[in-house]
Amino acid sequence: MKNNYLYTTILYLISIAVSLVMVIPFVWSLVTSVRPDEEIFILPIRWIPSALTISHYTKAFDLVPFGLYFKNSFYLAFMGVMFNLLLGSLSGYAFAKLRFKGRDTMFKILLAAMMIPGVVTLIPQFFVLKHIPFVGGNDWLGGGGNGLLNTFWAVILPGASGSFAVFFMRQFFVSLPSDLQEVSRIEGSGELRIYWNIYMPLAKPALATLGIFTFQAGWNSFLGPLIMLNDPAKKTIQLGLAAFTYNKQVDFGPLMAGALIAVVPILILFLLLQKYFVQGIAFTGTKG
């Protein structure tokens, strides 16, 4: 009994220490966003500023049209979530519950694709999107125009059904009993109806978890929008934060204020879906 109590106490102390280390950068950003410029790099570090100011937030909104960038980022992240939830769950269900020739081989190829860094595929994606026939002024050979470049679809389509989404949903569907599928087939239900009416309601925790991951990835995406979008009216919140870096100088006060503003939607989403997020993490991957 005493050993269990000691083990639990040590575990909690380690967890608290790790949590403090993880939260320090966020606290520093928050303090920096409300402290005067002359105290940002003062040594030794003062965690409590001598005075509070909102001038950094005011300057951030003056330099960057956060309203427009928020709308663009939200649209891209939302569309990414919708496509990944639909296509990822469809593919994951097929890999988990359907038997077809080459299923295991295709899944191994999918796992191998997950090992490829996304930055490696950016240039091939750029050329494919630029040379799509009959789009953006292109002829039937894919020349003469810009294809899907400088449109939101150039960012949405490459990640419409990510390898991680398929893998994640497949792992969750594997953990669900196949008896439900067999009973539904006996009663005359089609495969699409079984997927939509039987398994999808049970997959809410996994869908919520995948939604959080996908929204966060879309919201924080930088390289994709930077390469695919040139129109200032289509910039995202992450590209907007680059406005605080100019002539090799960084305006840390407004940058920290803008970064905290950009974090708010992710925090709200996590708080709203926290229950499902924990359930999805707990259930996914329990079976191979």
Side-chain angles (χ1 to χ4, degrees), residues 37-268:
D37 285 328
E38 58 272 13
E39 294 186 9
I40 292 180
F41 290 108
I42 193 172
L43 294 175
I45 296 176
R46 294 180 183 176
W47 289 99
I48 301 178
S50 60
L52 300 179
T53 177
I54 62 171
S55 61
H56 297 315
Y57 289 89
T58 304
K59 186 176 181 180
F61 276 95
D62 289 339
L63 290 176
V64 176
F66 275 105
L68 175 63
Y69 293 171
F70 259 80
K71 183 181 71 172
N72 294 341
S73 291
F74 183 82
Y75 176 76
L76 291 174
F78 176 79
M79 292 297 289
V81 170
M82 292 297 101
F83 275 107
N84 273 271
L85 291 186
L86 177 61
L87 300 180
S89 61
L90 275 170
S91 302
Y93 174 81
F95 278 119
K97 298 301 181 183
L98 301 183
R99 297 188 178 275
F100 52 90
K101 187 176 181 180
R103 183 189 67 172
D104 294 338
T105 301
M106 292 174 62
F107 187 68
K108 290 178 182 178
I109 294 174
L110 176 74
L111 293 179
M114 291 178 61
M115 308 299 175
I116 302 175
V119 67
V120 175
T121 61
L122 275 177
I123 294 179
Q125 285 178 10
F126 180 89
F127 280 98
V128 169
L129 293 169
K130 179 177 174 60
H131 296 291
I132 294 180
F134 307 115
V135 176
N138 285 339
D139 54 27
W140 66 281
L141 292 176
N146 291 319
L148 289 177
L149 294 183
N150 210 30
T151 68
F152 288 137
W153 288 109
V155 180
I156 295 171
L157 289 181
S161 181
S163 301
F164 174 77
V166 178
F167 169 77
F168 187 84
M169 292 306 301
R170 184 262 182 188
Q171 294 302 102
F172 187 85
F173 283 128
V174 165
S175 68
L176 297 179
S178 299
D179 295 343
L180 299 173
Q181 184 184 31
E182 298 300 329
V183 172
S184 300
R185 285 174 176 172
I186 293 174
E187 293 180 352
S189 297
E191 210 61 55
L192 188 61
R193 185 177 180 182
I194 296 173
Y195 153 79
W196 187 257
N197 292 339
I198 305 299
Y199 283 96
M200 283 298 281
L202 299 175
K204 288 181 180 179
L207 293 173
T209 305
L210 178 60
I212 292 176
F213 285 148
T214 306
F215 188 91
Q216 182 180 15
W219 185 266
N220 293 330
S221 179
F222 179 79
L223 278 179
L226 177 66
I227 293 174
M228 305 300 179
L229 304 176
N230 295 321
D231 187 352
K234 291 185 172 65
K235 281 189 175 182
T236 63
I237 193 72
Q238 304 304 328
L239 296 179
L241 293 178
F244 303 114
T245 302
Y246 45 88
N247 294 330
K248 299 182 180 179
Q249 300 292 324
V250 180
D251 202 348
F252 280 96
L255 177 61
M256 293 299 103
L260 289 173
I261 294 171
V263 163
V264 171
I266 300 296
L267 291 177
I268 294 175

